[in-house]
């Protein structure tokens, strides 16, 4: 196995890896569920229903901005869960909630540590405006070296076009080939399986307890519970821990 220090670029998933989007989604649904007597619906069912319709909508409308996609799937979710349909205002509020989803406690400090060694690239299933809110808020204005959104590409991961676009852009911006890149992500479905198919090395940031994006077959080169653990491992290799 190669060493972490041998690579030059980290390509990040954001929502699920840097941002605790499961907590963010459930928080955004809380008042809507309370108004519909739906507070007894288990967390697992809510998140699995969300993930099912998110993936379905991304496949059906790959060029739909993510905030709009969220608003759209809320109607499908509530129908499946047996809840009254949300109002347009409620669905729009859910779509606009992304910027308030919290970062994991270790995220920003770990990014600062990793930036000393790598170019840090965002490759996210998000729209530009929503990511701007996340970056200026929970991510504390962290200066990523490159930001690539699904809106820029016109498709959502795990579509191989997203990884092809990232590799081409990273080559042009940093003269780095795929053997220099680590796809750094929580989701097996969105990131690790397609990255392996593209020949890209990956680091699995497990985020213990995460529900969405898991697959029975777990693919990765490195496995860390948190991004902070990955930064620890790099610094141990470099002798700076």
């Amino acid at each position: 196995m190669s060493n972490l220090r041998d690579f030059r670029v980290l390509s990040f998933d954001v929502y699920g890896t840097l941002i605790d989007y499961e907590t963010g989604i459930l928080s955004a649904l809380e008042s809507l569920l309370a108004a519909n007597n739906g507070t007894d619906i288990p967390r697992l069912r809510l998140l699995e229903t969300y993930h099912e319709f998110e993936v379905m909508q991304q496949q059906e409308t790959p060029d739909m901005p993510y905030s709009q996609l969220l608003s759209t799937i809320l109607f499908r979710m509530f129908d499946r869960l047996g809840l009254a349909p949300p109002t347009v205002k409620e669905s729009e509020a859910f779509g606009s909630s992304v910027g308030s989803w919290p970062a994991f406690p270790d995220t920003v400090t770990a990014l600062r540590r990793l930036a000393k060694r790598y170019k840090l690239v965002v490759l996210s299933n998000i729209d530009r405006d929503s990511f701007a809110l996340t970056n200026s808020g929970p991510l504390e204005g962290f200066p990523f070296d490159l930001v690539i959104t699904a809106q820029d590409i016109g498709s959502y991961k795990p579509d191989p076009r997203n990884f092809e676009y990232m590799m081409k852009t990273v080559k042009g911006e940093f003269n780095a080939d795929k053997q220099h890149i680590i796809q750094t992500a929580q989701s097996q479905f969105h990131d690790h399986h397609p990255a392996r198919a593209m020949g890209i090395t990956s680091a699995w940031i497990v985020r213990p307890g995460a529900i969405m994006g898991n697959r029975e077959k777990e693919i990765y080169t490195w496995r860390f519970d948190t991004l902070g653990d990955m930064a620890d491992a790099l610094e141990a290799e470099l002798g700076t821990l």
Side-chain angles (χ1 to χ4, degrees), residues 1 4 185 188 192 202-208 218-226 229-230 233:
M1 182 188 295
L4 289 167
Q188 288 286 327
H192 293 281
S202 71
W204 185 24
I205 310 302
V206 177
R207 298 299 183 190
E218 297 170 348
I219 288 176
Y220 56 89
T221 305
W222 291 277
R223 181 188 188 278
F224 305 104
D225 281 352
T226 71
D229 291 343
M230 183 177 182

Side-chain angles (χ1 to χ4, degrees), residues 129-193:
D129 289 345
S130 294
F131 178 74
L133 292 172
T134 295
N135 200 34
S136 63
L139 294 181
E140 301 178 15
F142 184 82
F144 290 95
D145 296 289
L146 178 64
V147 174
I148 302 170
T149 70
Q151 187 177 20
D152 298 318
I153 304 166
S155 59
Y156 285 93
K157 296 179 297 181
D159 194 308
R161 288 178 293 178
N162 294 58
F163 296 89
E164 291 166 354
Y165 186 103
M166 179 272 291
M167 288 189 291
K168 181 178 179 180
T169 308
V170 163
K171 176 66 174 178
E173 292 286 332
F174 311 125
N175 195 29
D177 297 308
K178 69 179 178 182
Q179 65 265 29
H180 301 129
I181 301 168
I182 303 175
Q183 185 66 24
T184 309
Q186 181 274 326
S187 177
Q188 288 286 327
F189 172 76
H190 295 98
D191 291 276
H192 293 281
H193 281 250

Side-chain angles (χ1 to χ4, degrees), residues 23-113:
T23 293
I25 289 164
L26 294 174
S27 295
L29 290 172
E30 189 172 358
S31 63
L32 297 176
L33 294 173
N36 280 274
N37 297 314
T39 55
D40 59 341
I41 299 174
R43 175 177 182 269
L44 177 63
R45 187 180 179 204
L46 287 170
L47 292 174
E48 287 183 341
T49 303
Y50 174 93
H51 181 65
E52 176 186 347
F53 287 117
E54 179 195 53
V55 171
M56 187 182 303
Q57 193 68 48
Q58 288 172 345
Q59 292 171 343
E60 292 175 1
T61 56
D63 57 348
M64 179 182 285
Y66 190 73
S67 58
Q68 184 181 341
L69 186 143
L70 284 188
S71 298
T72 301
I73 68 171
L74 190 63
F75 292 93
R76 288 180 162 186
M77 285 182 61
F78 275 33
D79 181 63
R80 168 70 63 80
L81 296 168
L83 302 174
T87 65
V88 171
K89 184 177 181 180
E90 287 171 337
S91 68
E92 289 177 347
F94 183 59
S96 300
S97 68
V98 177
S100 65
W101 297 353
F104 287 102
D106 63 294
T107 291
V108 175
T109 298
L111 287 172
R112 290 171 181 154
R113 295 163 66 192

Side-chain angles (χ1 to χ4, degrees), residues 195-217:
R196 174 67 61 86
M198 301 293 292
I200 303 171
T201 297
S202 71
W204 185 24
I205 310 302
V206 177
R207 298 299 183 190
I211 291 171
M212 296 192 290
N214 294 329
R215 294 188 68 174
E216 185 174 351
K217 183 178 182 182

